[in-house]
Amino acid sequence: KQWYQRRVAITAGGDMPQPAFRDEDRKSNWKSQTDAIDRNARQNLPPYMIIGAGSGIVLYLAKYSLYGLALLLGPGRDKYAAAAIEIDLGTVPEGKNAVFTWRGKPLFIRHRTQEEIDKSKAANVSQMRDPQTDAERCVNEKFLICLGVCTHLGCVPIAHAGDWKGYYCPCHGSHYDTCARIMKGPAPLNLEVPKHEFITEDIVIIGKED
């Protein structure tokens, strides 16, 4: 109790200085620090913007410089478009349909049997949706050469299937005969026959340009 009274007395007598909590000084000090930070940020903002914009421009120019260099050193688009492939037809057995890749698309080469040839020639062309004779589509009657891309929506037809045992697209039910002519279904056109040339009886070049 005496200790408590002595502590109270000392406090009351003013021997111990009381802290002065002056909000004005604290606020002014905080404001000066904040103003300094803001000034620093404002001063550095333009250089940051210039650096950022300059980096973006450099990256943009570098991208198109590399793209132009690739076009300059690489083959031209005309060469890609005119790309031709040579195929040995002796590798395709009679009655079979071989699938190759040409210009990124499936290429069908069908070694037709004599029965398939006769049926295709006997078909009534006048009643077809896209009328073409067998001779117009097959330079060498033994071989049908066409793109394996359905003319409806670009699906890949199945060989030796459908009502005519030529090609069948199961996506929407397009039927083609053994000459790849559309016979039934939504496809508007026959399967495309690419430009080709027979070098020998067994060697053909697909996509050769004049």
Side-chain angles (χ1 to χ4, degrees):
K1 183 177 181 181
Q2 292 178 356
W3 173 84
Y4 174 76
Q5 291 176 350
R6 185 179 302 173
R7 180 180 179 86
V8 171
I10 292 173
T11 303
D15 293 339
M16 293 183 63
Q18 296 182 358
F21 298 101
R22 289 176 294 183
D23 291 342
E24 293 78 7
D25 295 340
R26 179 171 56 83
K27 290 180 180 179
S28 61
N29 185 40
W30 172 82
K31 184 177 180 182
S32 63
Q33 294 178 357
T34 304
D35 291 342
I37 295 173
D38 290 342
R39 287 196 300 272
N40 185 51
R42 286 194 297 269
Q43 290 173 358
N44 291 332
L45 183 59
Y48 290 156
M49 293 178 63
I50 294 173
I51 293 173
S55 300
I57 294 173
V58 170
L59 291 175
Y60 181 84
L61 294 176
K63 172 185 174 182
Y64 282 95
S65 296
L66 292 175
Y67 179 73
L69 182 63
L71 291 179
L72 179 63
L73 299 180
R77 292 186 178 182
D78 55 337
K79 292 184 179 180
Y80 280 119
I85 59 172
E86 183 178 298
I87 297 175
D88 182 3
L89 300 176
T91 61
V92 184
E94 184 177 353
K96 299 296 182 179
N97 182 83
V99 183
F100 300 86
T101 300
W102 177 66
R103 297 183 184 177
K105 299 178 181 179
L107 176 73
F108 290 165
I109 296 185
R110 185 185 189 118
H111 190 167
R112 301 191 298 174
T113 63
Q114 190 59 48
E115 181 182 0
E116 291 175 336
I117 295 172
D118 294 340
K119 285 185 178 180
S120 180
K121 288 183 176 182
N124 189 350
V125 177
S126 63
Q127 296 182 355
M128 294 181 182
R129 184 176 306 166
D130 185 13
Q132 285 184 306
T133 64
D134 187 87
E136 288 177 307
R137 295 180 58 78
C138 298
V139 178
N140 182 338
E141 66 177 18
K142 291 182 180 181
F143 295 98
L144 166 68
I145 300 173
C146 65
L147 296 183
V149 179
C150 181
T151 58
H152 180 222
L153 291 177
C155 305
V156 179
I158 300 172
H160 302 285
D163 294 348
W164 281 261
K165 302 303 179 183
Y167 300 94
Y168 173 65
C169 183
C171 298
H172 299 91
S174 294
H175 298 253
Y176 301 86
D177 69 355
T178 57
C179 194
R181 296 174 295 198
I182 182 63
M183 305 299 284
K184 185 173 72 173
L189 301 171
N190 304 328
L191 296 185
E192 181 183 350
V193 175
K195 185 175 181 179
H196 57 278
E197 178 183 349
F198 282 86
I199 304 302
T200 66
E201 187 177 352
D202 293 329
I203 302 296
V204 64
I205 295 181
I206 312 296
K208 182 179 179 180
E209 300 293 337
D210 295 332

